[in-house]
């Protein structure tokens, strides 16, 4: 998915503004590859071993779900002029991402806080849910983004 | 780094318990590869383009720093018997991870909350800092982990 234009500055955003992203299909091979690199635990690496754990089957690392969520937001979330610049945030994983899942993200701007010390920017809080094909929530994200005002010509 | 034994159950943990992980070297190639897959924005992908941004040079995706933090904790953090099972948490990125950085994690158990409904487990809150070779903080993490009690024989 190519983003053709990035147009939104702080001035263009409002609390309550919503967005929905495209989708991302997750395979068992991707789950295992991410886990081998960043979260090498049996329940993320091996189908048989995963069955004996609390996950009762192969599950993606929560950080893999977080990374996919970022990809979806960067590519087809709000087209922020300066990009998705995260200062931090929180994540919850109510359900695991499974092989074969097709994820998308639905988000909403819940707070806009113009900076007092730096008048060219503000902090925008976005709450989003990452959902699978059955509309089960695999991640709830609250992200604090640095967003710039439209430059004065 | 091979973890030879995983021994810690909920019964073995105490608030104030600290740990320090091994280290992880981050290259420009790794930063760009992670970004291409999960956070394809100029400041994570391309040195020249990154210089013109708020980062003033190539910087890792915050989610890359988070994934590396997980890897360090899984491999050389507290040796939890059932693994690092995250229910969620929060992250802040006070400074970017840069090419050539060597990261490690210093953490502490800040809360232990035995489950009332499920007496075989509890939620353990770990606060950690991910530091580079200059002891600059690149991530502050508060993670909520599901930790099991030692099984009754």
């Amino acid at each position: 998915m190519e983003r053709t234009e990035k147009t939104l500055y702080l001035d263009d955003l409002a609390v309550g503004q919503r967005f929905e992203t495209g989708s991302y299909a997750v395979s068992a091979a991707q789950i295992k590859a991410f886990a081998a690199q960043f979260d090498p635990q049996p329940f993320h690496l091996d189908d048989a071993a995963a069955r004996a754990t609390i996950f009762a089957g192969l599950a993606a690392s929560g950080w893999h779900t977080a990374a996919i969520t970022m990809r979806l937001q960067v590519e087809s979330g709000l087209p922020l002029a300066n990009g998705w610049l995260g200062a931090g945030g929180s994540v919850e994983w109510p359900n695991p991402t499974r092989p074969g899942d097709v994820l998308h993200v639905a988000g909403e701007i819940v707070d806009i806080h113009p900076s007092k010390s730096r008048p060219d920017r503000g902090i925008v809080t976005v709450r989003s849910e990452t959902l699978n094909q059955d509309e089960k929530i695999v991640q709830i994200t609250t992200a604090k983004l640095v967003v710039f005002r439209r430059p004065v010509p």
Side-chain angles (χ1 to χ4, degrees), chain A:
Chain A
M1 207 173 322
E2 274 290 326
R3 173 59 53 89
T4 50
E5 41 177 8
K6 301 208 178 207
T7 56
L8 300 181
Y9 289 93
L10 190 63
D11 320 73
D12 306 312
L13 303 180
V15 169
Q17 206 163 334
R18 290 169 177 277
F19 65 92
E20 194 134 355
T21 70
S23 63
Y24 187 105
V26 189
S27 69
Q30 287 168 2
I31 288 174
K32 293 174 190 177
F34 186 97
Q37 217 181 338
F38 297 116
D39 192 350
Q41 304 196 82
F43 32 78
H44 302 319
L45 283 171
D46 182 82
D47 308 73
R51 279 196 285 277
T53 70
I54 189 177
F55 289 108
L58 194 71
S61 168
W63 300 105
H64 191 184
T65 301
I68 292 168
T69 297
M70 187 61 179
R71 166 79 179 250
L72 286 167
Q73 292 183 139
V74 164
E75 285 205 326
S76 56
L78 293 168
L80 300 170
N82 296 98
W84 277 66
L85 281 168
S90 68
V91 288
E92 283 170 71
W93 298 297
N95 293 288
T97 297
R98 301 289 190 177
D101 276 0
V102 179
L103 306 183
H104 72 282
V105 179
E108 181 177 0
I109 295 177
V110 294
D111 189 57
I112 298 178
H113 192 80
S115 171
K116 281 186 181 103
S117 57
R118 308 183 98 162
D120 65 339
R121 68 192 72 175
I123 295 286
V124 174
T125 306
V126 174
R127 186 188 182 280
S128 67
E129 293 179 348
T130 308
L131 304 142
N132 68 15
Q133 64 286 352
D134 301 319
E135 299 293 313
K136 249 193 180 172
I137 301 172
V138 296
Q139 184 172 300
I140 300 165
T141 316
T142 306
K144 288 187 184 302
L145 306 174
V146 179
V147 180
F148 289 84
R149 286 194 187 281
R150 178 170 284 109
V152 181

